[in-house]
Amino acid sequence: MMKWLMKLNGAFLIAALLFSGLWPASAQAQFRKAGTTGYVFLEIPATARSSGMGETSVALTDEAAASLLTNPSLLAFSARGFHLYASSANYLADIQHQCAAFGFSLGTAGFLGISLNYMDFGKMTHTVNADPQNPGGSYLILGNYTADAYALGLTFSRKLTQSFAFGIKGKYVRERIDAYSSDNVLLDMGMVYQTRFRTFRLGGYIQNFGVDARYIGDSFKMPMIFRLGCAMEVWGSPRSADRLTVVVDALHPSDYSERLHVGAEWLLRAALLLRAGYKFNYDEEGFTAGAGFRQKWKQYDFTLDVGYTDFGRLGSVLRFGLAISANK
């Protein structure tokens, strides 16, 4: 087992070095691949905690059910019992974004979880050209139509040692515009490792891995993202009533050049959470902030979160989240 872990850690380090080697080249070339993939709603952060910390979450081992919407391997570090999470945001252009997740322990076998990521694009006016020979001229209003998208996921996560865990998530994805739709099956695969250096954790996962999908007569690629991240308490420990956690995530998306996310979370008196972060290499996004409140009652843990993301000229987005854990 130890030899296998050493090989795995070596492969992880090689991947990180390759990632860092790609960064300067892509930054200098300013190679932009925007608009080359579909199902882009899968790239939008789904949890309020992550939104407030610069969209960092790869190596946060206390995510519980929220990990079903980020790195699936993190669920294995949850306490035995069941865990619930739900979030909601009024996104840009009045788009509604809701997510829900439920995870539970299988004992020594690991953890199992289900999740839903849903986006409602609202109601839009259905128009056609009044004169097909004169595109851009007058038009006729035929009524209204709606559009939405969702991803329904099933996750399995397990610890192989006290320090290392893996997770895999299969998800069915569907997008619909009026009577037209497209669907596909994708995979998320992740791992996380607690090193022996203080509280330093290292994680990584591949998100939205799958074959090309089709919409009407055209095919398009999946919004695959390779994420590497680390987290550590610079003050206190993960179980301290007062602590300061710093997180860094590096992203290699298939539809854009490399990106860097940094975030921090300050826990006070085991109850109040203050968060901030920044996202580099975005056209509009940048500063984020957030807050949370924790309360324990018997064997239940409750956390209420809010995350703020600044989109520059496009405005801002507030995301709210509620987490409930019943620990055995």
Side-chain angles (χ1 to χ4, degrees):
M1 176 65 73
M2 292 305 299
K3 290 183 178 179
W4 183 84
L5 283 175
M6 290 176 65
K7 291 181 180 179
L8 185 60
N9 292 335
F12 202 92
L13 180 59
I14 291 172
L17 291 173
L18 288 174
F19 188 99
S20 62
L22 285 172
W23 190 291
S26 60
Q28 291 174 4
Q30 290 296 310
F31 181 61
R32 300 297 173 90
K33 299 166 282 185
T36 60
T37 64
Y39 303 153
V40 292
F41 78 99
L42 297 173
E43 299 179 328
I44 298 173
T47 72
R49 183 188 188 191
S50 174
S51 297
M53 297 175 65
E55 197 186 331
T56 55
S57 60
V58 175
L60 293 173
T61 51
D62 59 346
E63 282 279 80
S67 64
L68 297 169
L69 301 165
T70 57
N71 181 353
S73 67
L74 301 175
L75 183 64
F77 283 88
S78 304
R80 290 189 179 184
F82 70 83
H83 307 273
L84 291 164
Y85 183 80
S87 70
S88 179
N90 185 13
Y91 201 65
L92 302 176
D94 290 329
I95 295 171
Q96 300 299 310
H97 188 200
Q98 283 87 34
C99 300
F102 173 69
F104 58 94
S105 171
L106 300 174
T108 57
F111 282 80
L112 197 65
I114 58 174
S115 58
L116 175 66
N117 184 349
Y118 177 73
M119 182 160 279
D120 182 1
F121 298 100
K123 185 182 295 184
M124 289 156 275
T125 304
H126 187 184
T127 63
V128 295
N129 286 325
D131 181 5
Q133 304 301 321
N134 182 27
S138 60
Y139 59 88
L140 299 175
I141 298 177
L142 302 182
N144 297 313
Y145 69 94
T146 60
D148 56 31
Y150 70 85
L152 182 63
L154 178 64
T155 298
F156 174 74
S157 180
R158 186 178 183 224
K159 279 186 177 181
L160 295 181
T161 71
Q162 289 300 311
S163 302
F164 178 83
F166 77 96
I168 184 168
K169 174 181 177 181
K171 55 190 177 185
Y172 172 74
V173 183
R174 184 176 187 268
E175 277 191 344
R176 180 189 63 84
I177 303 177
D178 197 13
Y180 306 98
S181 64
S182 171
D183 60 0
N184 204 356
V185 176
L186 305 179
L187 288 177
D188 295 350
M189 297 168 285
M191 55 185 173
V192 63
Y193 176 60
Q194 289 186 324
T195 70
R196 296 182 180 180
F197 176 69
R198 299 181 63 179
T199 61
F200 186 77
R201 286 96 72 194
L202 183 66
Y205 71 104
I206 297 174
Q207 186 180 8
N208 308 322
F209 177 80
V211 299
D212 293 358
R214 297 188 66 84
Y215 178 73
I216 307 179
D218 299 322
S219 64
F220 55 89
K221 297 184 180 299
M222 298 298 96
M224 190 170 68
I225 305 175
F226 176 46
R227 297 175 182 253
L228 284 173
C230 59
M232 189 177 76
E233 279 66 41
V234 296
W235 175 36
S237 69
R239 296 185 178 181
S240 298
D242 298 276
R243 60 166 171 80
L244 178 60
T245 305
V246 175
V247 192
V248 179
D249 287 1
L251 285 68
H252 180 65
S254 61
D255 60 354
Y256 208 83
S257 54
E258 284 67 28
R259 288 166 163 166
L260 182 68
H261 298 174
V262 296
E265 180 180 70
W266 188 10
L267 174 64
L268 297 168
R269 302 294 183 182
L272 179 63
L273 293 150
L274 301 176
R275 306 181 179 107
Y278 199 86
K279 303 166 70 171
F280 295 90
N281 196 25
Y282 285 79
D283 294 329
E284 295 294 336
E285 296 178 71
F287 174 72
T288 71
F293 180 76
R294 286 183 177 177
Q295 182 64 48
K296 187 175 182 63
W297 180 69
K298 295 183 178 180
Q299 77 270 32
Y300 299 98
D301 293 326
F302 300 87
T303 305
L304 180 64
D305 294 320
V306 59
Y308 166 86
T309 303
D310 180 21
F311 282 87
R313 290 168 293 182
L314 301 178
S316 61
V317 171
L318 280 178
R319 184 177 302 277
F320 298 91
L322 174 64
I324 303 174
S325 291
N327 305 317
K328 290 185 178 181

